[in-house]
């Protein structure tokens, strides 16, 4: 639930950037996320032990946070090369920091 709230905040922070670059936000299809979700559903369906189910969920969270971090690194590199203003770079950097912290939290959950 906390992750969902953070994601909503991140979307709210990033959506205004589209106005600055004069682009329309939209839904981006992701085969990677679709595959991860499908794999998760298959694994959860087979797991009888709730602790193992939690481990599967935590591992999915780690994978998604890694993916987010990689995408944000790419966006930040593009912003740098395009010499975009701080009003674009700062929200991306803040979101990247949150993704990194999310990855660290997910790692901690799988180490317990």
């Amino acid at each position: 639930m906390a992750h969902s709230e953070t994601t909503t905040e991140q979307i709210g922070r990033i959506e205004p950037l589209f106005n600055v670059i004069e682009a329309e936000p939209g839904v981006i299809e992701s085969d990677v996320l679709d595959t991860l979700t499908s794999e998760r559903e298959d694994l959860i369906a087979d797991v009888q032990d709730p602790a193992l189910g939690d481990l599967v969920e935590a591992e999915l969270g780690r994978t998604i946070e890694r993916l987010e971090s990689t995408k944000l690194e790419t966006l930040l590199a593009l912003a740098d090369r395009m010499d975009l203003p701080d009003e674009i770079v700062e929200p991306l950097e803040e979101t990247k920091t949150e993704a990194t912290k999310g990855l660290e939290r997910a790692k901690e959950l799988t180490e317990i």
Side-chain angles (χ1 to χ4, degrees):
M1 193 164 180
H3 184 265
S4 178
E5 291 172 7
T6 300
T7 300
T8 301
E9 290 172 12
Q10 290 171 344
I11 291 168
R13 181 182 315 125
I14 291 174
E15 278 185 335
L17 302 181
F18 288 92
N19 292 334
V20 176
I21 61 172
E22 298 177 5
E24 285 292 320
V27 176
I28 297 173
E29 298 294 325
S30 173
D31 291 337
V32 173
L33 287 177
D34 291 343
T35 300
L36 289 171
T37 301
S38 178
E39 286 179 7
R40 175 201 160 268
E41 290 169 2
D42 291 344
L43 285 169
I44 292 295
D46 293 338
V47 172
Q48 301 298 318
D49 182 347
L52 290 176
D54 290 346
L55 183 62
V56 169
E57 295 287 355
E59 183 56 32
L60 175 67
R62 273 179 28 166
T63 303
I64 290 172
E65 293 296 346
R66 281 189 188 115
L67 181 61
E68 287 177 9
S69 291
T70 300
K71 296 294 184 183
L72 287 159
E73 286 170 3
T74 301
L75 290 173
L76 285 164
L78 288 170
D80 183 54
R81 288 182 186 167
M82 296 170 67
D83 199 29
L84 295 178
D86 287 345
E87 65 185 302
I88 292 177
V89 174
E90 288 172 1
L92 292 173
E93 287 175 338
E94 183 177 352
T95 304
K96 169 71 170 77
T97 299
E98 289 175 355
T100 300
K101 289 179 183 176
L103 178 57
E104 291 169 5
R105 284 191 302 273
K107 282 181 184 177
E108 290 170 2
L109 290 174
T110 59
E111 293 171 356
I112 294 175

